[in-house]
Amino acid sequence: NKVQSNRITCNAAICACQKFGEWEKAIDLLSLMTESWVEPERITFDAVISACEKAREWTRALQLFTVMEQNRVEPDVITCGATLGACDKASVWDNALELCNFMEESKLESNVITLNLAVSACEKGRTTLKALSFFRVMALRQMRVFYSVVQNNQ
């Protein structure tokens, strides 16, 4: 199947771009896919968003998250984690908290990474009660709090 092999090839190229910090090339490849009628899938968006996260391109990460939803590709915890990471690195805590709300409303189960990023966003946004709710979830799941989150809160 030609479309399937094109998708696999494009995904591999995008993952290579993500690995080497080439976020602009990753976005170009995503655009090329859609122009070539090759539908991107969740892992495609995850890799491009992750490339944007590494480059601190939080606005691009959020735009891609929206494009993903518009294309009826459901985000997962990896997608949310990469987007949260981009927001956290840019200290745009309000966007990060909106994403946390999206995860709760979508019934996406958070993991240790997304919860730590959520706590970090709460710390930056000075939303103590929300941070405590994330800590409570982590305690119930016996998850570890990253040292950097605790250290930033001191």
Side-chain angles (χ1 to χ4, degrees), residues 11 13 26 42 44-45 53 61 71 80 87 93 114-115 135 137 153:
N11 283 343
R42 183 175 29 234
T44 311
F45 283 101
E53 173 198 6
N71 286 315
C80 292
C87 292
W93 57 270
T114 57
L115 286 167
F135 275 123
V137 170
N153 286 322

Side-chain angles (χ1 to χ4, degrees), residues 6-7 9-15 17 22-52 60-69 71 73:
N6 286 342
R7 181 180 293 131
T9 304
C10 286
N11 283 343
I14 288 170
C15 286
C17 291
E22 298 287 343
W23 67 274
E24 290 169 311
K25 289 180 182 169
I27 289 174
D28 289 345
L29 284 167
L30 177 63
S31 296
L32 181 66
M33 282 179 77
T34 56
E35 290 168 11
S36 303
W37 298 97
V38 178
E39 285 188 40
E41 53 197 348
R42 183 175 29 234
I43 60 170
T44 311
F45 283 101
D46 288 350
V48 178
I49 291 171
S50 182
C52 291
R60 296 288 185 154
L62 288 172
Q63 288 169 352
L64 288 163
F65 192 88
T66 302
V67 168
M68 187 176 181
E69 290 182 297
N71 286 315
V73 178

